[in-house]
Amino acid sequence: MALPPEQLPAHPTPLLTREAIAARVDELADQIRADYASTGDLHLVCVLKGAFVFFSDLVRRLDRPATLDFIVVSSYHKAKRSSGEVRLIKDLDTGIEGRDVIIVEDIVDTGLTLTYLLDMMRARRPKTLRTACLLSKPSRREVDVPVEYVGFTIADRFVIGYGLDYAEAYRNLPYIGVLDSDT
Ligand code: IMP
C-alpha cells in the first residue's frame, strides 16, 4: 500500500552509490565516443523526466560535439508499476531525419515506453537509432526491445533517485536507492 509523501523514508537504502554511477557513466560515455568516432553528427534525446540527471552527466562526459533534444512521455501515473499506457506529453523540437540519434532513458522495465519511442522515431527515418538506458530490469520485460548501452542490470526492485521518482519524490536523491515493497 502506498504511503503518503511525508511518510516516505528520507534516506532510502542505497542500491548504487553516486561513485558507482559516475564510474559507469564515464564508461558509457567512452563507449559512445568510440562508437561514433567516425560520425560528425550525434543527436541525443533525453526522455523526461526520469532521465534528466543521467542525461546531463552523460552528455558532459562525452567530450565530443553533440546536439540535444528533449521529449516528455508519461507511463507511470504515480503507480509503482507501469500502466502499460504511454502518453506523449511533449514532442521533440527538431526533426531527426537522416541523423545519428541516441534515445537516453532512465530505466527499461516492461519495455513498453522504449518500444513506443523507437516506433515513433523510426517513422521519422533517422540514419541510425540507438538507445542508452542507465538501468534495466530484464525480469520484468514484456516486449523485447534493443538497448545498445545499458548502465546496470538490476533485479525486480522499485528504485528511486538520480532522476527516478516515486510519485514525484526522490528525483534529486544523488544515488539510486530501493523503495521497499511495503512503502
Ligand atoms: P516501461 O515502459 O515499463 O519499460 O517503464 C519505463 C518507465 O517506467 C521508466 O522510464 C520509468 O519512468 C518508469 N519506471 C520503471 N521502473 C521504475 C522504477 O523502479 N522506479 C521508478 N520508475 C520506474
Side-chain angles (χ1 to χ4, degrees):
M1 192 60 205
L3 282 178
E6 64 276 10
Q7 287 181 39
L8 292 170
H11 304 288
T13 310
L15 180 69
L16 298 165
T17 63
R18 39 205 303 184
E19 293 77 16
I21 298 167
R24 186 67 187 127
V25 171
D26 279 349
E27 289 175 356
L28 290 175
D30 288 347
Q31 206 183 331
I32 292 170
R33 191 185 320 107
D35 290 353
Y36 289 81
S38 61
T39 161
D41 183 40
L42 179 57
H43 191 60
L44 296 144
V45 172
C46 175
V47 184
L48 293 172
K49 302 176 192 167
F52 84 102
V53 181
F54 173 44
F55 188 77
S56 65
D57 281 348
L58 182 70
V59 299
R60 284 179 297 165
R61 283 171 167 78
L62 271 181
D63 196 24
R64 60 148 289 155
T67 51
L68 315 179
D69 204 348
F70 300 84
I71 194 165
V72 186
V73 293
S74 163
S75 47
Y76 250 64
H77 313 296
K78 292 192 177 179
K80 279 204 207 167
R81 295 294 175 208
S82 172
S83 63
E85 231 180 72
V86 184
R87 279 194 307 140
L88 179 64
I89 312 289
K90 181 212 162 282
D91 204 342
L92 298 174
D93 288 336
T94 53
I96 57 169
E97 184 169 351
R99 306 203 61 185
D100 291 299
V101 178
I102 302 179
I103 302 173
V104 180
E105 248 287 42
D106 53 358
I107 184 166
V108 208
D109 187 30
T110 62
L112 292 167
T113 305
L114 208 49
T115 300
Y116 169 90
L117 287 168
L118 282 168
D119 287 349
M120 190 181 86
M121 295 203 196
R122 267 192 211 111
R124 300 178 186 186
R125 310 195 328 170
K127 185 170 152 211
T128 61
L129 183 60
R130 289 185 175 179
T131 56
C133 295
L134 180 66
L135 304 170
S136 173
K137 285 194 242 179
S139 63
R140 294 257 311 149
R141 209 71 94 244
E142 289 177 20
V143 282
D144 195 23
V145 63
V147 184
E148 285 80 7
Y149 306 101
V150 178
F152 301 91
T153 297
I154 61 168
D156 182 12
R157 310 288 301 275
F158 193 83
V159 290
I160 37 75
Y162 198 72
L164 289 127
D165 77 310
Y166 170 63
E168 294 302 326
Y170 297 118
R171 290 200 196 275
N172 63 331
L173 197 71
Y175 62 92
I176 293 186
V178 179
L179 215 52
D180 294 330
S181 54
D182 59 348
T183 55

